[in-house]
Amino acid sequence: MKKTIIALAYILIASFSSPIIAAGDAEAGQVKTATCMGCHGLAGNSTIPTFPKLAGQGEAYLIKQLQHFKSGERKNAMMNGVAGMLSEQDMMDIAAYYSIQTISENSANADAETLELGRKIYVGGKMDTQTTACIACHGAKGLGIPTAGFPAISSQHAAYTTSQLKAFRQYSINEQTGSTDVSRANEMMVNVAKGLTTVEIEALSQYIAGLH
């Protein structure tokens, strides 16, 4: 059954078109990220748990998220405003800069039982809810698949990962209840998150924080 869940992820991956190859200028991007440091830290290594680390993230993924913030498809008051002032070239330059930075290592902050729960879901998914294993798209070390636009998640702040998984889960809840609570739309991730409890999300986030 675990192999079936992982295989499903690869089928989903194959159904997506390849991301556009970015042509950004990392040197120009460094200058343009000066205003980003307040939240995302020096060279994209945020020290504030609620703001994501961007260092080492794939260019295609970063560009896509900035585009979504600019269009309003992904909602965040601060980022919607920031991205709204960026040109496509700005986005490519910023993405090029962050993509070549080295992410700072992180560590899990949970007991052995919690980390084992997170590991089981990351590696094997959940059979009872047909939840796909995270390893299929994000890799054994959480480095993602840059060529497919799947993000690196290793060493990410657990608080940030938790917030995003809950936002993906909320999208499914909104669809069922008509609620308008803040959510995040992505068919693949919504299908993963909707089968996770809050305890499982937090365990998974801690496990991911310790990957490097």
Side-chain angles (χ1 to χ4, degrees):
M1 183 63 73
K2 288 183 180 180
K3 290 183 179 179
T4 300
I5 293 173
I6 294 174
L8 175 61
Y10 284 110
I11 292 172
L12 289 170
I13 290 170
S15 69
F16 286 81
S17 58
S18 298
I20 297 172
I21 302 300
D25 181 334
E27 187 174 347
Q30 182 175 12
V31 176
K32 294 174 181 179
T33 59
T35 57
C36 307
M37 288 191 293
C39 295
H40 297 290
L42 183 65
N45 280 303
S46 166
T47 58
I48 305 171
T50 52
F51 293 116
K53 297 180 185 182
L54 303 178
Q57 190 58 267
E59 288 183 70
Y61 178 78
L62 288 172
I63 292 169
K64 182 178 180 181
Q65 297 312 304
L66 286 171
Q67 290 172 335
H68 284 183
F69 281 127
K70 184 171 183 174
S71 69
E73 182 175 342
R74 184 174 174 185
K75 299 187 184 302
N76 177 286
M78 185 180 296
M79 284 305 303
N80 292 151
V82 171
M85 297 185 289
L86 300 177
S87 67
E88 287 296 310
Q89 188 62 52
D90 291 335
M91 294 179 189
M92 290 190 290
D93 293 345
I94 290 169
Y97 171 69
Y98 280 135
S99 72
I100 60 174
Q101 304 310 305
T102 300
I103 193 169
S104 57
E105 288 192 7
N106 206 343
S107 59
N109 183 24
D111 57 45
E113 183 178 356
T114 297
L115 292 178
E116 177 59 14
L117 173 60
R119 186 197 68 80
K120 285 181 177 179
I121 296 171
Y122 190 91
V123 175
K126 284 182 64 183
M127 291 185 287
D128 59 334
T129 56
Q130 294 294 296
T131 300
T132 305
C134 310
I135 195 173
C137 296
H138 298 289
K141 295 186 177 182
L143 300 179
I145 307 175
T147 55
F150 294 113
I153 56 176
S154 63
S155 295
Q156 189 57 264
H157 295 303
Y160 177 75
T161 302
T162 293
S163 71
Q164 297 310 296
L165 287 172
K166 287 181 177 179
F168 285 126
R169 185 178 65 180
Q170 187 63 44
Y171 182 87
S172 179
I173 294 172
N174 290 354
E175 289 287 288
Q176 296 177 61
T177 66
S179 171
T180 57
D181 289 352
V182 175
S183 65
R184 187 173 172 188
N186 176 287
E187 184 178 358
M188 188 181 297
M189 284 305 304
V190 167
N191 285 332
V192 169
K194 70 181 182 182
L196 300 175
T197 67
T198 296
V199 169
E200 290 168 339
I201 284 176
E202 291 173 350
L204 187 56
S205 298
Q206 287 293 343
Y207 177 76
I208 288 169
L211 289 175
H212 52 79

